[in-house]
Amino acid sequence: MNPNHIAIENAAETREPVLDIVDRVSEMLFGLFMALTFVGAVSTSVGPDAGHLMLRAALGCNLAWGLVDAVMFLVRTLANRGQRLRLALAVQHAADPAQAVRIIRDTLPPAMRTLVDDTELEAIRARLAGATALPTRPTLDAADWLGSVRIFFIVVLSTFPVALPFVLIDHVPLALLISRVLSMIMLFAGGMALGHYAGFGAIRAGFGMLALGLALTMAVIALGG
């Protein structure tokens, strides 16, 4: 990793994982919802190749959206890193420490501004002001590219539990039932993971995500998605 990049990250904040649990579950559910939009169409399809057609359509859709999601992750990461670099430079060029503290406070979300006093912000200002090797522009590193690859595969792989039953089982109603059961299990598991992470009850969150997922899927299909 570029030493300048390390300097700005260390000066501004302790680096978080490239993809946290919310990112991973959100991408999995996004891919799942995309695949589910094809299930309703398959349930009314006839012909011996309906399952393979659905798999190709669902996989092609998720390949495209997985690529879009991965690229936008890199764009978002670069934009956020540029904002932190701009903040560090603004602090270093401030007329006095008080102005620098005000600059930092203005970058905080409104809900956090009343939770942090000037003494705490002064410690951040001192670290930013002492950063001696700031990069000339925001850059991406290997971890960012790896994160984008992981996003791509999360979206794409979430297609298979929904679509594969139609390829492996010739009886479409049975394949549809298995696909829906697997989809509900994935929704419930994703909700549990988010609930455990957020601390508001894994089981409750699992059922909530299941209900939300079913409602969203029905809405997407009804809107022609």
Side-chain angles (χ1 to χ4, degrees):
M1 184 185 296
N2 188 314
N4 289 343
H5 191 124
I6 295 175
I8 182 60
E9 291 292 343
N10 288 340
E13 61 181 327
T14 300
R15 179 160 184 161
E16 298 178 353
V18 174
L19 294 180
D20 61 21
I21 185 65
V22 177
D23 294 323
R24 293 193 294 269
V25 173
S26 298
E27 294 298 338
M28 183 272 288
L29 294 177
F30 174 74
L32 177 62
F33 291 144
M34 294 298 295
L36 282 172
T37 59
F38 294 89
V39 172
V42 172
S43 65
T44 59
S45 298
V46 294
D49 201 33
H52 288 85
L53 288 174
M54 194 284 298
L55 176 62
R56 288 194 294 270
L59 184 58
C61 178
N62 276 16
L63 282 169
W65 281 108
L67 178 61
V68 170
D69 246 17
V71 171
M72 292 310 300
F73 165 78
L74 295 175
V75 172
R76 184 173 66 250
T77 299
L78 198 61
N80 289 339
R81 196 160 289 155
Q83 191 274 337
R84 292 196 296 269
L85 175 60
R86 186 177 66 175
L87 171 62
L89 292 174
V91 168
Q92 291 190 348
H93 291 93
D96 53 59
Q99 182 186 34
V101 167
R102 287 195 299 271
I103 291 172
I104 297 172
R105 184 175 293 280
D106 289 341
T107 65
L108 296 175
M112 290 187 61
R113 293 175 187 172
T114 59
L115 302 177
V116 183
D117 59 33
D118 286 351
T119 302
E120 294 169 305
L121 294 181
E122 169 58 27
I124 299 175
R125 183 208 66 79
R127 293 177 61 192
L128 291 173
T132 58
L134 295 178
T136 57
R137 65 180 184 277
T139 59
L140 298 171
D141 58 27
D144 302 320
W145 290 100
L146 179 60
S148 71
V149 171
R150 290 175 65 186
I151 285 176
F152 175 80
F153 279 106
I154 289 172
V155 173
V156 172
L157 292 177
S158 62
T159 305
F160 291 97
V162 180
L164 276 182
F166 295 93
V167 178
L168 301 177
I169 300 174
D170 293 331
H171 188 56
V172 172
L174 178 59
L176 180 62
L177 175 62
I178 295 174
S179 174
R180 285 175 174 170
V181 169
L182 291 175
S183 301
M184 288 189 291
I185 291 173
M186 292 176 67
L187 286 168
F188 187 79
M192 285 188 64
L194 290 177
H196 178 74
Y197 175 83
F200 49 70
I203 300 298
R204 185 192 309 172
F207 282 113
M209 182 60 70
L210 179 58
L212 177 61
L214 292 176
L216 287 175
T217 301
M218 292 173 61
V220 169
I221 294 174
L223 292 171

